[in-house]
Amino acid sequence: MSKEIQAVFAGFGGQGTLFAGKLMAYAGLIESREVSWFPSYGPEMRGGTANCSVTISDSPIGSPLVATPDVVVAMNQPSFDRFVDAVKPGGVVVADTSMVNDLGNRDDITVVGIPATKIAEEASLKGLANIVLMGRLYAAVPYCKPETIDKALAKCIPSKKVAMLEKNKQAIKLGMEA
Amino acid sequence: MTEKVLMKGNEAMAESALRAGCRFFFGYPITPQTELAAYMSKRMPLIGGTYLQAESEVSAINMVYGAAAAGARVMTSSSSPGISLKSEGISYMAGSDLPGVIINVQRGGPGLGSIQPSQSDYWQATRATGHGDFQIVVYAPSTVQEMCDCVYSAFDTADKYRIPVMILADGMLGQMMEPVVLPDKIDFCDLPDKPWATTGHGHKRSHNIVNSLYLTAEELEDLNIERYKRYELIKQNEQKAEQFLTEDADIVLVAFGASARIARSAVVAARGEGIKAGLLRPITLWPFPVDAVKDTFDSAKIYLTVEMNMGQMVDDVKLAVNGKRPVEFYGRTGGVIPTPAETLEKIREINERIGE
């Protein structure tokens, strides 16, 4: 059976959930695996929430829309509530507890809460809570080689913004250690 | 190997068109197609091309008509309601034998419908893209790579047969990102001559006329008959389909575009349960790959079309099967995406029935 990981990244518009998903997709691309990234673009987006589905696989990917994720990164309470029940048994949810108070009561999945927004702000990395969560996600579910994360960041951030790249790397590190 | 890049389907189609030598794009924004026009607006000015956001879809398609008449490689794109607005112009292009590429990133209909992925313009694309006796070539890619490849070859097909060519995509394919290897840029010297184009004659040749108005019925009849001979050639030469596990399949699913991805997952799951299912995936919807359907007759006991509409492709499969086997349908509509699990459920149900 081929290895496949299906993920959902969800939060308010502007929190960087689409970017976080893109980072994971690039990690898959760099390791020459099958990859798909599919954003929400429907009426829900008009309501201020944004989410995207990412799949990394060793065989061709069917629907890019992830219905039953292995992992969820939730950046606010509505997103957590919406996706937590869909997670496969044994799956992982990484939540920003600066924004999510109620971590539910499923005992067949692992729920990891870190105050990502607070961690980012205290490290003068305002706006990088999404990347802090990506660091924590990687610590919980290493879906690629460690060095691939830095390479994926370099792909996602324009080469002109060197300072931004360094901040992102720092945010990943903080997340991994959180 | 050329580097793989991660791109949205909409963007990959735009970049592919540029590499195929498209230097004119006329459009009007509409979800879920807008990234394509946005990409063109950014890139065209940098490479000496023309991007123009028209005041309406009707204007845009008539600009396409003009650029095509002048011999240029030209493209427009829209989503379902916008394609309806373009249909008059597409008919005029067909009646004037003009090549051009039209992209439809479908959304749910009818009317303004939804903005979610759909395949409910199948009939419009394959039967009646406009009024009159005509067909257009229709490609239905199912991955971002194939979107890129189909657009690239669509320009050649359009030029070769002097026919409008449509790429029938949908909101899922347009919005999703996948790794893609972009094709090489064409050398403009390799483009075919267009001796019929209205390029200015400088008093050195008789002038060319591009027109679809013929007041003498017999003259128009002759032209239509000539055009249908060309359509026969296209049917012989241009059918494209992919077979997946159909060789020994009892149940052959037929699905195109986004729904083919879901059908493929369902087939893999069915095989895991010992059910002999396979997938025939039309890549051209017109001409419909009837030869590929015939190839499956030996093993197939039943056909199941899987679509994101109310079953518009069923007729074409029935025509190809010609009464030899039953043809059933499973689909979702209005912008709802079917899941592999519910498709598998339908396969199981059929398998039990044909096993009895």
Side-chain angles (χ1 to χ4, degrees):
Chain A
M1 206 48 201
S2 62
K3 263 199 312 183
E4 183 167 280
I5 178 164
Q6 297 186 304
V8 168
F9 301 84
F12 291 125
Q15 279 185 304
T17 55
L18 300 189
F19 184 88
K22 212 166 135 180
L23 182 64
M24 180 173 173
Y26 264 108
L29 174 77
I30 288 164
E31 297 189 353
S32 300
R33 303 182 67 192
E34 301 281 345
V35 171
S36 70
W37 176 96
F38 183 58
S40 59
Y41 69 93
E44 51 196 14
M45 223 173 135
R46 269 75 176 166
T49 66
N51 71 73
C52 67
S53 295
V54 174
T55 304
I56 299 180
S57 181
D58 290 327
S59 51
I61 294 163
S63 179
L65 180 67
V66 172
T68 51
D70 300 293
V71 298
V72 168
V73 172
M75 297 194 68
N76 63 25
Q77 192 72 51
S79 298
F80 183 91
D81 295 344
R82 183 173 159 199
F83 291 105
V84 69
D85 290 336
V87 178
K88 284 179 201 141
V92 175
V93 179
V94 179
D96 181 354
T97 48
S98 306
M99 313 295 286
V100 181
N101 302 314
D102 178 2
L103 293 177
N105 50 13
R106 278 190 68 174
D107 53 13
D108 59 338
I109 60 173
T110 307
V111 177
V112 185
I114 58 163
T117 300
K118 191 164 156 258
I119 292 172
E121 274 171 14
E122 283 173 2
S124 305
L125 299 171
K126 201 168 185 298
L128 291 183
N130 59 337
I131 305 301
V132 173
L133 290 168
M134 287 305 284
R136 189 62 189 85
L137 170 68
Y138 186 81
V141 184
Y143 52 85
C144 63
K145 293 181 196 133
E147 62 269 26
T148 305
I149 297 281
D150 278 357
K151 288 183 197 161
L153 279 172
K155 284 267 186 194
C156 293
I157 296 162
S159 51
K160 280 178 262 177
K161 298 183 176 175
V162 185
M164 203 54 189
L165 180 60
E166 287 312 312
K167 282 184 178 178
N168 274 268
K169 285 182 182 173
Q170 197 191 335
I172 289 278
K173 195 160 170 280
L174 284 173
M176 282 184 178
E177 291 161 358
Chain B
M1 202 186 83
T2 325
E3 196 195 1
K4 273 190 181 178
V5 290
L6 205 55
M7 280 181 112
K8 277 192 168 194
N10 283 336
E11 293 167 344
M13 289 194 289
E15 180 59 36
S16 181
L18 298 176
R19 288 169 184 241
C22 173
R23 288 297 178 272
F24 293 87
F25 179 91
F26 308 104
Y28 189 81
I30 182 170
T31 304
Q33 158 280 162
T34 302
E35 293 83 4
L36 200 165
Y39 192 94
M40 287 296 197
S41 75
K42 249 188 259 170
R43 291 282 297 141
M44 277 296 194
L46 302 176
I47 58 172
T50 297
Y51 165 86
L52 201 150
Q53 182 174 317
E55 70 271 33
S56 75
E57 287 86 349
V58 179
S59 305
I61 192 69
N62 282 288
M63 292 171 188
V64 170
Y65 182 106
R73 285 201 154 177
V74 55
M75 184 163 97
T76 186
S77 64
S78 191
S79 178
S80 309
I83 297 293
S84 292
L85 287 166
K86 290 182 200 286
S87 68
E88 179 198 50
I90 297 170
S91 170
Y92 279 42
M93 286 176 73
S96 305
D97 295 311
L98 288 176
V101 176
I102 300 133
I103 288 174
N104 182 0
V105 184
Q106 296 169 93
R107 54 192 253 180
L112 268 179
S114 69
I115 60 172
Q116 306 291 6
S118 169
Q119 298 179 324
S120 55
D121 304 343
Y122 181 93
W123 276 335
Q124 184 192 45
T126 60
R127 295 292 187 282
T129 339
H131 61 279
D133 271 325
F134 77 96
Q135 297 277 181
I136 60 171
V137 174
V138 183
Y139 290 105
S142 81
T143 63
V144 174
Q145 182 67 58
E146 203 171 49
M147 292 167 102
C148 181
D149 298 344
C150 281
V151 167
Y152 199 76
S153 58
F155 283 97
D156 291 332
T157 309
D159 282 347
K160 184 174 173 191
Y161 298 102
R162 290 186 61 183
I163 189 172
V165 176
M166 178 175 280
I167 310 293
L168 196 65
D170 64 72
M172 179 196 275
L173 295 168
Q175 292 294 323
M176 70 186 286
M177 286 203 292
E178 273 185 326
V180 56
V181 177
L182 293 164
D184 291 336
K185 289 175 191 158
I186 54 123
D187 184 338
F188 280 85
C189 302
D190 295 338
L191 289 184
D193 282 337
K194 294 180 178 175
W196 47 265
T198 52
T199 51
H201 53 79
H203 302 289
K204 292 193 177 89
R205 59 164 169 79
S206 58
H207 61 274
N208 289 337
I209 297 173
V210 171
N211 172 45
S212 70
L213 175 67
Y214 295 89
L215 294 176
T216 311
E218 288 76 10
E219 195 187 347
L220 180 55
E221 184 184 46
D222 286 347
L223 269 170
N224 284 347
I225 290 170
E226 184 278 322
R227 198 170 291 126
Y228 269 69
K229 283 181 185 157
R230 235 182 310 150
Y231 293 164
E232 283 307 314
L233 269 182
I234 295 173
K235 283 187 196 173
Q236 281 171 31
N237 300 335
E238 304 297 337
Q239 290 181 30
K240 268 192 194 168
E242 183 192 49
Q243 310 267 7
F244 176 66
L245 305 177
T246 51
E247 258 175 42
D248 64 336
D250 296 332
I251 306 168
V252 172
L253 280 69
V254 187
F256 67 94
S259 60
R261 301 175 67 105
I262 292 142
R264 195 180 195 280
S265 297
V267 163
V268 171
R271 287 276 172 175
E273 297 179 3
I275 301 172
K276 286 184 176 174
L279 170 67
L280 189 156
R281 180 172 72 84
I283 300 170
T284 51
L285 300 180
W286 197 91
F288 194 75
V290 284
D291 297 342
V293 175
K294 283 176 189 156
D295 288 344
T296 61
F297 279 169
D298 287 342
S299 71
K301 291 180 182 158
I302 189 166
Y303 292 83
L304 171 67
T305 83
V306 179
E307 303 175 60
M308 279 145 54
N309 58 43
M310 291 300 285
Q312 298 187 16
M313 189 173 59
V314 172
D315 289 352
D316 274 333
V317 178
K318 279 187 174 172
L319 284 169
V321 170
N322 202 14
K324 291 188 176 73
R325 306 281 187 279
V327 179
E328 298 199 11
F329 164 71
Y330 179 73
R332 301 293 299 267
T333 180
V336 179
I337 302 168
T339 66
E342 58 197 46
T343 311
L344 175 62
E345 196 49 49
K346 178 76 182 173
I347 297 173
R348 282 186 193 135
E349 184 254 305
I350 290 174
N351 191 54
E352 272 179 38
R353 226 182 323 128
I354 62 171
E356 281 166 8

